[in-house]
Amino acid sequence: MRIGQYQLKNCLIAAPMAGITDRPFRSLCYHMGAGMTVSEMLSSNPQVWKTDKSRLRMVHSDEPGVRSVQIAGSDPDEMAAAAKINVDNGAQIIDINMGCPAKKVNRKLAGSALLRYPELVEKILSAVVNTVDVPVTLKIRTGWSPEERNCVEIAQLAERCGIQALTIHGRTRTCLFNGEAEYDNIRAVKQTVAIPIIANGDITDPLKARAVLEYTGADALMIGRAAQGRPWIFREIQHYLETGKLLPPMPLGDVQHLMGEHIRELHDFYGQGKGVRIARKHVSWYLKEHAPADQFRRSFNAIEDASEQLEALEAYFENFCVNKEKS
Ligand SMILES: Cc1cc2nc3c(=O)[nH]c(=O)nc-3n(C[C@H](O)[C@H](O)[C@H](O)COP(=O)(O)O)c2cc1C
């Protein structure tokens, strides 16, 4: 998979997820086999850039892999300015968000709401492409609603504007996250344009990954929610694509080690208070496959101190292993 001058190490991309794919999680996904990660979305509105939230969302030049930064907004000049600032700060690819269904984002006519206004889409894409000298990519849904599915039209327009790769989530805006993602429209887009296409939506395991690649003909896959609590999914998929064989489950000791490191990184990155809060949701995802973890999660979520969190996790795994040996 190639985006402009960047050759990725494979065709698996970690999806941008606001509040989740922060720097520690992106690094983890990359080390666990993702060919590229995309930052959480940054608003193009300069008034919010100075907030802690935006500052932490900006990329840093020592991040591993190709640094793709996602921006969201609807004003072409503002989007171009935001792209430039992020490139100056170290972004190597600018990704434009036209896939987000969130009401907060759509109310300002950004994210997937823009798909209803192709002329404005064209202005935004051209403004950004003409302002920065790094590859610009676009992320969309298949359309506003099943009745207004215009991803083929948007893809053609994107190609004309100089967009260098297009991610398509196989749902419309009005579908939100309901039902199952469909891949017919991604396949239709792939057959229409020559730019690299990245298929996205409900890719949850290696078999599905291969099936979606084969069915759509896409050049790459983007994986979001399935990587929550399972960042090693990239390695699992890559291994299956290369060998046709499934990797054995990750040993519990490795899961424990990886999770401990991740939680420590979150504490360092956000500071104790926020780090402890953010760690809770990740721990809950890591432990969702462990049936007896419910009670643990409740007590874990009451912990306010960073080192206590780490100690509680260690004790949890010790108990878990002892109980497993007994049974
Ligand atoms: C909590 C959450 C936050 C998200 N934030 C973003 C975002 O900032 N930008 C974006 O383009 N998509 C965002 N998405 C959409 C994902 O990138 C992806 O398109 C969607 O989850 C479908 O892929 P999946 O089935 O692999 O999760 C978000 C999704 C979730 C669940």
Side-chain angles (χ1 to χ4, degrees), residues 155-189:
Q156 289 169 328
L157 185 160
E159 185 168 47
R160 274 201 311 278
C161 292
I163 290 296
Q164 305 225 20
L166 176 67
T167 303
I168 309 164
H169 174 189
R171 287 186 175 85
T172 65
R173 156 64 174 75
T174 56
C175 294
L176 299 170
F177 281 91
N178 300 327
E180 285 179 19
E182 55 84 21
Y183 308 106
D184 293 337
N185 284 283
I186 301 178
R187 180 184 159 103
V189 169

Side-chain angles (χ1 to χ4, degrees), residues 285-307:
W285 286 322
Y286 280 115
L287 298 185
K288 69 175 179 280
E289 286 172 21
H290 298 217
D294 253 13
Q295 203 187 342
F296 169 75
R297 271 200 296 255
R298 268 195 295 277
S299 58
F300 184 80
N301 288 350
I303 299 175
E304 299 285 349
D305 179 80
S307 8

Side-chain angles (χ1 to χ4, degrees), residues 5-294:
Q5 65 268 44
Y6 298 112
Q7 178 67 48
L8 308 189
K9 66 180 180 190
N10 62 36
C11 69
L12 305 175
I13 299 172
M17 289 187 286
I20 297 159
T21 47
D22 49 23
R23 183 183 173 174
F25 192 64
R26 289 199 299 277
S27 294
L28 189 54
C29 290
Y30 186 76
H31 291 304
M32 287 285 112
M36 187 175 87
T37 65
V38 182
S39 80
E40 304 168 87
M41 114 186 118
L42 275 159
S43 167
S44 67
N45 177 357
Q47 279 165 357
V48 304
W49 292 344
K50 292 225 163 61
T51 61
D52 266 0
K53 192 168 160 187
S54 285
R55 200 176 39 76
L56 286 172
R57 281 188 179 188
M58 289 187 180
V59 288
H60 303 261
S61 46
D62 57 346
E63 284 195 39
V66 178
R67 298 182 296 272
S68 172
V69 171
Q70 188 183 68
I71 56 174
S74 57
D75 180 89
D77 293 337
E78 223 174 70
M79 287 288 274
K84 182 162 183 335
I85 287 195
N86 279 290
V87 171
D88 291 345
N89 279 345
Q92 294 168 306
I93 292 179
I94 292 292
D95 187 50
I96 298 180
N97 177 338
M98 292 192 189
C100 183
K103 284 227 170 76
K104 196 172 145 197
V105 173
N106 282 205
R107 221 181 289 127
K108 293 180 196 145
L109 192 63
S112 55
L114 287 165
L115 296 176
R116 301 180 103 180
Y117 305 93
E119 280 175 20
L120 181 54
V121 170
E122 186 160 7
K123 284 190 185 136
I124 293 170
L125 301 186
S126 300
V128 176
V129 168
N130 292 331
T131 300
V132 292
D133 54 8
V134 302
V136 180
T137 59
L138 174 65
K139 182 164 180 282
I140 62 172
R141 288 187 168 226
T142 54
W144 173 258
S145 65
E147 299 72 39
E148 290 179 73
R149 242 188 213 125
N150 60 349
C151 51
V152 169
E153 180 196 351
I154 298 284
Q156 289 169 328
L157 185 160
E159 185 168 47
R160 274 201 311 278
C161 292
I163 290 296
Q164 305 225 20
L166 176 67
T167 303
I168 309 164
H169 174 189
R171 287 186 175 85
T172 65
R173 156 64 174 75
T174 56
C175 294
L176 299 170
F177 281 91
N178 300 327
E180 285 179 19
E182 55 84 21
Y183 308 106
D184 293 337
N185 284 283
I186 301 178
R187 180 184 159 103
V189 169
K190 174 63 195 168
Q191 288 168 358
T192 313
V193 294
I195 51 174
I197 297 299
I198 303 159
N200 170 238
D202 295 357
I203 298 166
T204 45
D205 60 58
L207 276 73
K208 181 117 187 229
R210 186 162 84 179
V212 173
L213 266 181
E214 282 174 2
Y215 182 70
T216 58
D219 302 272
L221 300 173
M222 180 176 273
I223 293 145
R225 290 165 296 167
Q228 293 170 350
R230 201 183 179 83
W232 55 92
I233 191 172
F234 298 101
R235 189 164 79 182
E236 293 177 331
I237 293 177
Q238 182 60 16
H239 183 82
Y240 185 68
L241 293 178
E242 276 171 8
T243 65
K245 295 196 174 75
L246 293 171
L247 277 175
M250 178 122 134
L252 200 60
D254 292 359
V255 174
Q256 178 184 3
H257 178 73
L258 182 143
M259 184 159 109
E261 288 298 305
H262 184 186
I263 302 315
R264 251 182 225 108
E265 291 271 330
L266 290 171
H267 294 158
D268 287 350
F269 184 69
Y270 288 106
Q272 302 277 313
K274 192 165 180 195
V276 164
R277 284 199 304 281
I278 302 237
R280 288 177 190 151
K281 65 185 168 197
H282 287 279
V283 166
S284 148
W285 286 322
Y286 280 115
L287 298 185
K288 69 175 179 280
E289 286 172 21
H290 298 217
D294 253 13

